[in-house]
Amino acid sequence: MSNSTTITNDSTASIGVGLSESAVKQLTRLIEAEGSNTQMLRITVNGGGCSGFTYSFDFDDAAGEDDRTFETDGVKVVVDTASLEFIDGAVLNFVESLGG
């Protein structure tokens, strides 16, 4: 299966945020469990002080004016423009193992 990532709103300066095949499968399961087909994965990057950045992953059903939306195989990822500066070009992967 080949993943395709689409930028769904005007963000010509952005490469975007993609999802691996395993991330698409896991997110699809989680979204279906929520019972809503409007859910998107929201990624937020916050300053963490001495520990560096912290990354937040939540579900959201709306994108704001300052957000960019990316879609991979039907799963949408929404990122605010400030956070996008730190993760632009990243591909989110889902791995299930003893290590994390």
Side-chain angles (χ1 to χ4, degrees):
M1 173 187 231
S2 173
N3 288 7
S4 64
T5 301
T6 304
I7 300 171
T8 57
N9 56 344
D10 183 28
S11 56
T12 54
S14 298
I15 295 170
V17 177
L19 300 171
S20 71
E21 185 176 338
S22 63
V24 168
K25 286 179 183 177
Q26 182 65 17
L27 287 168
T28 299
R29 280 187 226 124
L30 292 171
I31 290 168
E32 287 174 355
E34 289 285 322
S36 172
N37 61 356
T38 61
Q39 294 289 304
M40 300 174 282
L41 177 67
R42 176 174 290 282
I43 303 174
T44 308
V45 180
N46 295 302
C50 295
S51 299
F53 295 107
T54 59
Y55 302 87
S56 174
F57 301 90
D58 297 299
F59 286 113
D60 201 340
D61 58 2
E65 220 177 274
D66 191 38
D67 291 333
R68 297 291 178 255
T69 306
F70 308 96
E71 184 173 345
T72 303
D73 295 339
V75 178
K76 292 182 181 179
V77 177
V78 64
V79 183
D80 62 90
T81 54
S83 295
L84 186 58
E85 290 181 39
F86 300 103
I87 61 172
D88 197 19
V91 176
L92 183 65
N93 190 21
F94 175 77
V95 178
E96 192 169 16
S97 70
L98 293 175

